[in-house]
Amino acid sequence: MRSTTSRRALWAALAGLSAVLPLQAADLSITQFRVRGPAGGNDEFVELQNTGSAPLDVSGYKLNASNASGTTGTRFTLPAGTTVAPGCFLLLANGASSGYSGSVTPDLKYSTGVTDDGGLAMLDASGTIIDQVGLSAGSAYKLGTPLASLGSANQDQGYSRKTDGSGLPQSTGNNAADWVKVAPTAPRSSASPCAVMGLSLSIADATVSVRNADDQQMPFTVTLSQPAQADVSVHAVTADDTATVAAGDYDAVDTTLTIPAGSTSTTVNVTVHGAKAAGPDKAFRVNLSDATGGDVRIAKSSAIGAILNEIPIAAEIWQITGRGQVSPLVGKRVATHGNVVTAVGPAGFTMQTPDNRADDDRLTSNGIYVFTSSAPTVKTGDLVDVEATVDNYFNLPELKNASITTTMHGARLPKPVVFGNNVPSSDPNALSCGDTNFQCYVGMRVSIDNGMITTGNLRFSNEPFAEVYVTANGKRSLREPGVRYTVPVPDGVNLPNWSGNPQVFKMNTADFGAVAPNTPFNAGTTFRAEGVISYAFGAYTFIPTSFTIKKAAALPRAVDPRPFYAVRVGAFNTERFCDTEFNTTFTCSGSDTEPTADEVKLKTERLSAYIGGVLKLPDILSVEEVKSLQVLQGLAKQLGDDYPVQYEAFLQPGHDPSGINVGFLVRTDRVRVLDVRQLGADETWQDQGQTAFVHDHPPLLLTAEVPSIVGRMRINVIAVHPKARQNVDKTGTTAERDRQKRFLQAKSLATQVQALQTDRKNRLAPLLVVGDFNAYQFTDGFTDVVGLISGKYDDSQNLLKLGTNIVKPTLWNAVDSVPSQDRYSFLFTENFGNIQGQAPRQVPTHQVLDHALLNTIARGLFLQMKYGRGNLDAPVQTLDDAAKATGVQKAMGSSDHDGFVVDMLALPTILL
């Protein structure tokens, strides 16, 4: 389903003619461009030239751009009244921050840049591409072989178009042949000297549509750039291409044309013979040569004559859709009869082949969308005959320019495809539709009985509550064991690849009216629905026609209150809890500036709401990503103001260049702190030839006494926050360096853990290692951080080898006690690239990064582990709105992690 129309371009209809088709308007060319410059990625311009003999009105023309994945968008629409004089230039430049820095003043400015490895195009006011150039094979805009990207260096370099023997921009239909790198660039604007075009001849392309066997005249216009003082003659001759004289497609012409003195044009007519049946589009050429009469040259010597066969092809829907994302009949007129309307939207409807005529090929779809641009008159259950043109709208086969006849009302709807445990497939090596998991269902009815919403609503344009991600098997989109999908398994590692969760897809509930627009949904909500599969913005999307919530997930969802006989230990990554001062190498905030005092106050209030209202006031709370002891003390005070408790803050600075640290909040009304100290803070390693600290955030050990059933219990808690894993799955020296550092950090902490386990004073005390481990509960195939710290490292499953485990007896990960569908503390949207029919395929993945490792004593006292839900499952808009809420609602959006608590039975130390 979609809401805008696209035109059938001449060049798209003439498959196989790229060698002879110029693919650009005779009078407008992109002649120079730069997509990055000395000021950075926005320091770019696009130079256009009118190579015609008359002023060119470019009102409504569009500058479009594509990225390397083929996603396109309009960067600028030229305003009404914009005209380019003959031979003159128009300079468009990026006016965004750090934008165009050249000395030539641009004529017009746009504000969204072009990627370094994408492409750009000029479209006329009707949307037809008139010139295009690409910088990668994946760009949607390119001709022939694309140009090489100039990379990400901030230099004054770009591409300039070559000129032909006539001094006009060269256009062979091959970017690599037509462009040359220039450094420095020399852009020209409307104020620059115009090129002297001289006296030249051009012949324009022509098109006719055949709908029957009648002959038609196809006029080709030959234009002189300016009136001549004497007659000008030129020889014109037709030449076969896919259309031939021998096949009776057209009559040959071989003639001399004359443009009288003082005139500027003439016409040569070619007789085109009609067709009796549907067939392919064809084309021939008309070539000019031997121009005489004054100093005249031929600027454009060849024109394409396109014969578009508009006789509709009788076809079933499955013949129209085919097996791929582009219909085998794209651009053709088709007639399909007796199909059932299955869903009606504001600008079109879907229809499907009745069950008794459906094909038996599981790789083709029996449904298709008919775009009507306005509200259609058909109703669900109508039987319709449709004659229309097959279009490919961003990889969505559809019908447009349709003639629709309703032949019956109240027809039985085709049986829906049942989505559930096995469909769509969860195995990337056995996808439901062959190369994809959803293409063979596009336009078809689908029923989902056990659906789960796995993310809160995304936000799109003016829709605060837009689409969500869902599964049809009632399960969350969890990160599971294995090396990251699409990453080669390293040599010497005995692991499979993780699946990448191919069963996850989007849902937009509003498009067919099943749910009111801007309805919020929380992740974890289960539903039952019927609808159709579509494709929008590079992703397969389910659009329901009926929708019922089975169980709504409420937010926030607090953990259970602490049992009166228990001690509660928790961990919470506060997501860059910063102060206002920029006194570190990099900003704590990760942005250009640090937060204001008001922003720090708001963050403090939201964190207090989460710790008190969602985590229910842990006795000991490990906190990560905290800038300073002062802001943590401010949080302790806020908790005391908001709740009947007394917290004390503990934090010791580490070595992070942005200043974030680990610390503790301790309820001193219940807990007596004995000692707080860093572990391995001074350890160093050789970091690419430089001596550097092993730990950016040295582990912090808290030793305390907590109230027990009788007396007090000694407890040790280590707060941890190892290096993030953003580079681990990549290749190159940065990835190798990060893997090694994570390995050394885990090895260092394991040594500290083992020392505590064997220490006489501590070996009988419960020990918990808690925090954001930046690692899964299983190995990623490179370094099993959690396994190494807990004493369960398996060399056969890791690229980096440990040898003998350090920690004995092993620690137990309390995450294993959490119900499997609740094992997540972070939501990460993975970009797997252009795979499975999506460009790119992005999948939100729930993963455990926050763990609690317990020694044997602590495990014996273990009662429960719970994650407090308030940050990961809510719609984006809800998280923003919560900043102005009161009470526990203010907790939502306080961080990008969900924290947890572990409850343990409190026994006197003497009994342990």
Side-chain angles (χ1 to χ4, degrees):
M1 178 178 180
R2 41 78 122 193
S3 58
T4 60
T5 189
S6 57
R7 289 172 56 88
R8 174 184 179 186
L10 169 65
W11 58 269
L14 304 178
L17 297 181
S18 61
V20 297
L21 198 59
L23 301 186
Q24 70 175 86
D27 293 342
L28 188 68
S29 296
I30 302 171
T31 48
Q32 191 178 175
F33 68 92
R34 181 174 79 193
V35 294
R36 176 180 290 271
N42 285 334
D43 190 358
E44 55 185 44
F45 68 82
V46 179
E47 175 192 285
L48 307 174
Q49 184 183 16
N50 174 12
T51 59
S53 60
L56 181 63
D57 183 358
V58 291
S59 303
Y61 280 41
K62 293 179 174 61
L63 170 64
N64 272 26
S66 169
N67 62 16
S69 301
T71 302
T72 64
T74 297
R75 297 299 186 262
F76 188 69
T77 300
L78 275 61
T82 306
T83 301
V84 186
C88 295
F89 301 91
L90 191 71
L91 186 61
L92 314 181
N94 192 336
S97 176
S98 299
Y100 173 67
S101 65
S103 59
V104 178
T105 302
D107 298 297
L108 298 165
K109 291 183 178 181
Y110 54 95
S111 59
T112 302
V114 182
T115 57
D116 297 326
D117 54 358
L120 48 91
M122 285 304 301
L123 285 64
D124 67 16
S126 68
T128 300
I129 297 174
I130 56 177
D131 199 6
Q132 56 186 317
V133 58
L135 294 164
S136 67
S139 172
Y141 300 128
K142 59 183 179 296
L143 293 176
T145 302
L147 305 175
S149 169
L150 295 177
S152 57
N154 295 334
Q155 301 173 11
D156 184 9
Q157 56 184 352
Y159 280 102
S160 180
R161 199 174 206 124
K162 298 177 183 178
T163 55
D164 59 20
S166 302
L168 295 172
Q170 178 173 299
S171 180
T172 66
N174 184 1
N175 288 156
D178 293 341
W179 292 84
V180 62
K181 177 183 173 181
V182 289
T185 58
R188 293 163 290 188
S189 70
S190 60
S192 303
C194 301
V196 178
M197 304 311 296
L199 193 63
S200 62
L201 283 165
S202 299
I203 184 168
D205 300 326
T207 304
V208 296
S209 296
V210 294
R211 297 177 181 273
N212 50 48
D214 295 341
D215 292 344
Q216 297 187 60
Q217 294 300 306
M218 181 186 289
F220 290 82
T221 301
V222 179
T223 303
L224 195 59
S225 59
Q226 60 190 45
Q229 295 181 355
D231 292 353
V232 173
S233 297
V234 66
H235 187 68
V237 62
T238 55
D240 288 347
D241 205 289
T242 52
T244 66
V245 173
D249 296 317
Y250 72 99
D251 290 341
V253 170
D254 187 341
T255 186
T256 297
L257 306 174
T258 299
I259 300 177
S263 298
T264 57
S265 66
T266 189
T267 301
V268 56
N269 284 297
V270 178
T271 300
V272 173
H273 301 301
K276 296 181 179 180
D281 296 335
K282 296 182 179 182
F284 62 92
R285 289 169 288 173
V286 177
N287 298 323
L288 300 183
S289 62
D290 303 327
T292 60
D295 185 15
V296 63
R297 58 189 174 86
I298 300 177
K300 184 174 183 289
S301 62
S302 185
I304 294 293
I307 307 172
L308 305 182
N309 189 316
E310 294 288 354
I311 300 174
I313 301 168
E316 293 282 12
I317 291 175
W318 46 267
Q319 293 173 312
I320 298 170
T321 58
R323 290 187 170 190
Q325 289 187 306
V326 178
S327 165
L329 298 176
V330 66
K332 301 302 300 179
R333 197 76 180 164
V334 296
T336 181
H337 300 284
N339 297 301
V340 184
V341 175
T342 55
V344 179
F349 62 92
T350 55
M351 62 181 185
Q352 188 168 331
T353 311
D355 290 335
N356 64 343
R357 295 205 324 267
D359 70 333
D360 59 0
D361 185 351
R362 71 177 184 87
L363 300 183
T364 60
S365 171
N366 285 283
I368 197 166
Y369 180 68
V370 181
F371 176 61
T372 57
S373 76
S374 59
T377 58
V378 298
K379 305 295 183 184
T380 299
D382 284 355
L383 209 63
V384 293
D385 297 338
V386 175
E387 180 183 316
T389 301
V390 182
D391 192 23
N392 179 49
Y393 184 75
F394 295 101
N395 290 334
L396 176 67
E398 66 175 26
L399 300 178
K400 67 175 186 178
N401 301 331
S403 172
I404 304 160
T405 303
T406 300
T407 61
M408 176 182 169
H409 302 293
R412 181 188 299 273
L413 297 181
K415 293 180 181 178
V417 177
V418 178
F419 275 18
N421 288 331
N422 300 317
V423 179
S425 172
S426 58
D427 182 357
N429 298 311
L431 297 173
S432 297
C433 298
D435 293 334
T436 77
N437 226 5
F438 301 95
Q439 183 64 35
C440 58
Y441 307 121
V442 167
M444 292 181 64
R445 295 191 71 225
V446 165
S447 68
I448 300 172
D449 187 60
N450 192 29
M452 174 177 279
I453 296 172
T454 67
T455 66
N457 304 73
L458 304 180
R459 187 165 50 203
F460 178 74
S461 185
N462 62 344
E463 299 177 44
F465 298 95
E467 68 268 25
V468 295
Y469 281 87
V470 300
T471 62
N473 58 11
K475 299 179 181 179
R476 288 188 180 269
S477 174
L478 298 175
R479 177 62 160 90
E480 296 177 344
V483 177
R484 183 189 188 272
Y485 184 61
T486 73
V487 173
V489 176
D491 292 339
V493 174
N494 183 25
L495 278 178
N497 275 107
W498 167 53
S499 69
N501 290 344
Q503 71 277 11
V504 176
F505 54 104
K506 281 186 177 182
M507 176 173 71
N508 193 333
T509 55
D511 284 356
F512 282 151
V515 178
N518 290 317
T519 297
F521 294 102
N522 294 332
T525 296
T526 56
F527 66 91
R528 179 183 297 108
E530 288 190 355
V532 297
I533 291 292
S534 186
Y535 186 90
F537 301 104
Y540 291 103
T541 304
F542 172 67
I543 305 175
T545 53
S546 65
F547 182 85
T548 303
I549 291 177
K550 297 171 67 175
K551 183 178 181 181
L555 283 178
R557 295 195 302 280
V559 300
D560 297 332
R562 176 185 58 82
F564 77 94
Y565 50 83
V567 59
R568 170 160 290 180
V569 178
F572 182 36
N573 183 319
T574 60
E575 190 189 10
R576 297 194 173 268
F577 185 24
C578 306
D579 57 27
T580 61
E581 187 176 359
F582 184 13
N583 56 0
T584 49
T585 303
F586 306 115
T587 59
C588 168
S589 67
S591 302
D592 295 333
T593 60
E594 299 292 30
T596 65
D598 287 343
E599 289 170 338
V600 174
K601 181 177 183 295
L602 175 61
K603 176 83 170 179
T604 302
E605 292 171 350
R606 299 182 80 177
L607 292 174
S608 176
Y610 186 88
I611 294 168
V614 179
L615 295 185
K616 297 296 185 181
L617 302 169
D619 296 311
I620 299 171
L621 181 67
S622 164
V623 287
E624 298 87 52
E625 295 195 17
V626 181
K627 168 71 179 294
S628 66
L629 179 61
Q630 288 71 29
V631 293
L632 194 57
Q633 288 172 333
L635 178 56
K637 181 181 183 304
Q638 186 71 50
L639 282 162
D641 292 342
D642 294 342
Y643 304 95
V645 295
Q646 181 179 336
Y647 274 99
E648 185 175 350
F650 297 87
L651 182 145
Q652 296 178 14
H655 311 299
D656 190 291
S658 63
I660 58 174
N661 302 285
V662 298
F664 283 104
L665 286 170
V666 181
R667 280 192 61 178
T668 52
D669 56 330
R670 283 178 44 84
V671 177
R672 183 159 66 95
V673 176
L674 303 177
D675 185 44
V676 178
R677 62 186 175 92
Q678 290 181 331
L679 303 176
D682 297 329
E683 293 182 22
T684 60
W685 71 302
Q686 288 301 301
D687 184 359
Q688 299 177 332
Q690 301 292 322
T691 300
F693 291 108
V694 170
H695 297 285
D696 297 315
H697 322 119
L700 194 62
L701 170 63
L702 172 80
T703 302
E705 288 184 345
V706 298
S708 67
I709 297 174
V710 178
R712 303 187 73 83
M713 179 177 73
R714 184 185 178 94
I715 186 172
N716 289 311
V717 182
I718 302 176
V720 302
H721 188 207
K723 179 169 182 54
R725 62 177 315 281
Q726 68 261 33
N727 294 312
V728 167
D729 297 317
K730 301 176 183 178
T731 58
T733 56
T734 300
E736 293 169 358
R737 177 255 184 195
D738 285 5
R739 295 169 191 161
Q740 182 67 23
K741 184 169 184 175
R742 286 162 54 82
F743 179 78
L744 291 176
Q745 288 177 340
K747 189 175 180 181
S748 168
L749 180 54
T751 303
Q752 298 286 345
V753 167
Q754 188 60 17
L756 279 171
Q757 290 208 125
T758 56
D759 178 71
R760 183 178 59 85
K761 289 194 302 182
N762 290 293
R763 61 187 178 85
L764 295 180
L767 169 65
L768 295 89
V769 185
V770 300
D772 176 6
F773 285 68
N774 273 317
Y776 313 132
Q777 66 271 42
F778 37 74
T779 181
D780 56 24
F782 299 98
T783 298
D784 184 0
V785 170
V786 173
L788 203 163
I789 296 169
S790 60
K792 300 176 182 178
Y793 200 85
D794 184 347
D795 277 353
S796 71
Q797 294 186 350
N798 290 279
L799 178 64
L800 301 184
K801 309 302 182 183
L802 174 65
T804 304
N805 271 289
I806 297 170
V807 176
K808 296 178 183 179
T810 62
L811 306 185
W812 174 67
N813 194 346
V815 169
D816 293 343
S817 71
V818 177
S820 60
Q821 291 302 301
D822 204 37
R823 293 180 192 173
Y824 63 95
S825 65
F826 190 71
L827 181 62
F828 180 63
T829 298
E830 308 250 5
N831 183 343
F832 294 121
N834 297 334
I835 61 170
Q836 297 181 16
Q838 298 190 189
R841 176 165 169 78
Q842 299 192 54
V843 181
T845 304
H846 295 79
Q847 47 192 235
V848 178
L849 297 184
D850 302 81
H851 305 264
L853 307 182
L854 280 62
N855 70 352
T856 303
I857 302 297
R859 183 176 184 180
L861 301 173
F862 175 79
L863 297 173
Q864 65 176 357
M865 178 180 184
K866 294 284 187 180
Y867 287 99
R869 301 303 179 193
N871 297 316
L872 307 183
D873 291 346
V876 174
Q877 186 65 44
T878 298
L879 297 178
D880 287 350
D881 293 342
K884 298 178 181 179
T886 58
V888 72
Q889 293 297 317
K890 202 177 192 71
M892 291 195 294
S894 57
S895 174
D896 58 352
H897 285 244
D898 276 343
F900 68 80
V901 296
V902 171
D903 291 333
M904 296 189 307
L905 181 67
L907 292 177
T909 300
I910 194 172
L911 297 179
L912 297 176

